[in-house]
């Protein structure tokens, strides 16, 4: 499904639906397709917002988790959102955590993490990225999922195109190194808003023990594992993911209780 990409000052974003605001932050190789099932489902119940994070457009000095967190802060302020429920996958979760810790925004009412970095993550490996080796990129893309068939030709092409651009590769490496350096273990106890952790039991990038650690460190958190699922549950098992998230948002009064 095609969504209208809106523009507000320098910010590009998608905004669908009405009600309390569900902001989605994508990961390093994130695309709108990652969230399509989630957007289609929740736009009937809340306002779904997806900022286009400038992962590969920022100058190299600001190409970091902190740089992206500043961008998210400016975006939410510029749009004047309140009653925000912040959802981040992979690097997007890490960006959301740094945004919360550095700004302590009163408008954010809950946090949803899925396959988030910020404590530990397996990178693409020391040899990554191998430019021009499409089969290598395919295997690394398949590694993200429990079901390797999720790594469609279109998805592999997207990652392959990015890794064949030297400047983009430099920025990907800068972001990955920034994420590894920026361990939040000692700070997470400061995030006291309700937190929902939805994790793939077969996540190779941020394995289940990472989810357990987040659960231990976030004082007001709950953890749900999804079986036969990898690093992107909202993409790989959207039905179960949406059900868990809907229940959480209903309990917070963000969504009416009688919805299908």
């Amino acid at each position: 499904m095609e969504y209208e990409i809106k523009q507000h000052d320098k910010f590009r974003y998608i905004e669908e639906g009405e009600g309390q605001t569900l902001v989605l932050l994508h990961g390093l190789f994130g695309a709108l397709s990652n969230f399509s099932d989630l957007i289609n489902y929740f736009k009937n119940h809340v306002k779904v917002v997806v900022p286009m994070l400038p992962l590969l457009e920022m100058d190299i000095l600001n190409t970091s988790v902190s740089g992206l967190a500043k961008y998210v802060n400016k975006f939410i302020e510029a749009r004047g959102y309140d009653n925000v429920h912040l959802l981040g996958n992979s690097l997007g979760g890490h960006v959301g955590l740094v945004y919360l810790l550095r700004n302590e925004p009163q408008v954010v009412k809950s946090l949803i993490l899925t396959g988030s970095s910020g404590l530990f993550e397996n990178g693409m490996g020391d040899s990554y990225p191998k430019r021009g080796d499409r089969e290598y990129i395919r295997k690394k893309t398949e590694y993200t999922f429990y079901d390797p068939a999720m790594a469609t030709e279109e998805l592999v092409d997207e990652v392959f195109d990015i890794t064949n651009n030297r400047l983009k590769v430099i920025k990907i490496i800068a972001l990955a190194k920034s994420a590894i350096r920026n361990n939040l273990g000692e700070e997470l106890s400061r995030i006291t808003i309700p937190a929902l952790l939805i994790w793939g039991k077969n996540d190779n990038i941020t394995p289940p023990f990472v989810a357990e650690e987040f659960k231990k460190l976030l004082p007001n958190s709950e953890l749900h594992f999804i079986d036969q699922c990898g690093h992107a549950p909202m993409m790989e098992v959207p039905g179960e993911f949406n059900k868990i998230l809907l229940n959480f948002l209903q309990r917070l009064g963000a969504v009416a209780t009688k919805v299908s």
Side-chain angles (χ1 to χ4, degrees), residues 3-260:
Y3 303 103
E4 178 195 354
I5 296 182
K6 301 177 179 180
Q7 185 95 26
H8 180 122
D9 295 334
K10 66 179 179 181
F11 304 107
R12 295 170 66 247
Y13 62 100
I14 286 167
E15 184 178 294
E16 300 279 340
E18 296 179 356
Q20 295 197 18
T21 307
L22 178 63
V23 175
L24 312 179
L25 302 179
H26 58 77
L28 192 52
F29 290 101
L32 284 180
S33 58
N34 296 22
F35 288 128
S36 57
D37 287 289
L38 195 155
I39 297 169
N40 290 340
Y41 184 78
F42 280 97
K43 71 179 182 181
N44 299 312
H45 309 307
V46 294
K47 182 188 293 177
V48 183
V49 175
V50 190
M52 307 287 105
L53 298 180
L55 302 179
L56 306 174
E57 287 86 51
M58 295 189 297
D59 66 77
I60 195 67
L61 288 175
N62 290 306
T63 301
S64 64
V65 175
S66 295
L68 289 168
K70 286 177 188 170
Y71 182 90
V72 170
N73 184 45
K74 287 175 183 171
F75 170 71
I76 290 175
E77 284 187 348
R79 294 294 302 142
Y81 295 128
D82 58 9
N83 289 319
V84 171
H85 303 273
L86 191 64
L87 187 157
N89 171 241
S90 196
L91 181 74
H94 200 160
V95 170
L97 288 166
V98 172
Y99 158 64
L100 288 172
L101 289 165
R102 302 294 176 266
N103 301 284
E104 300 185 3
Q106 300 302 304
V107 297
V108 179
K109 303 304 178 188
S110 76
L111 170 69
I112 302 100
L113 299 178
T114 180
S116 178
S117 58
L119 291 176
F120 170 87
E121 63 275 357
N122 283 318
M124 291 286 247
D126 294 338
S127 56
Y128 172 79
K130 286 187 179 177
R131 292 172 67 196
D133 188 341
R134 194 172 186 283
E135 195 52 37
Y136 175 86
I137 297 301
R138 176 193 298 284
K139 283 189 170 57
K140 287 297 181 183
T141 306
E142 288 177 351
Y143 186 70
T144 305
F145 303 103
Y146 173 77
D147 178 6
M150 291 292 296
T152 61
E153 292 302 316
E154 184 182 8
L155 195 59
V156 173
D157 284 343
E158 282 178 21
V159 178
F160 184 66
D161 288 346
I162 291 170
T163 59
N164 265 343
N165 179 308
R166 184 172 173 274
L167 186 57
K168 287 180 178 178
V169 166
I170 289 169
K171 291 185 175 182
I172 287 166
I173 291 170
L175 282 169
K177 285 184 175 175
S178 165
I180 291 165
R181 283 195 306 269
N182 207 326
N183 186 292
L184 303 175
E186 293 181 3
E187 299 181 72
L188 291 180
S189 63
R190 288 171 36 213
I191 298 176
T192 57
I193 56 173
L196 173 66
L197 309 169
I198 309 177
W199 233 262
K201 245 184 190 165
N202 311 91
D203 187 337
N204 294 313
I205 313 292
T206 48
F209 77 82
V210 178
E212 300 278 8
E213 192 68 13
F214 270 117
K215 171 75 175 70
K216 194 189 303 178
L217 294 171
L218 289 164
N220 193 9
S221 62
E222 59 185 78
L223 170 59
H224 298 259
F225 281 116
I226 299 179
D227 203 13
Q228 297 187 342
C229 177
H231 188 55
M234 71 289 167
M235 188 179 178
E236 195 164 8
V237 193
E240 194 168 345
F241 184 96
N242 291 345
K243 187 177 173 184
I244 294 167
L245 177 55
L246 177 67
N247 179 268
F248 177 73
L249 294 177
Q250 284 175 335
R251 283 184 279 127
L252 293 176
V255 174
T257 51
K258 291 184 179 178
V259 294
S260 57

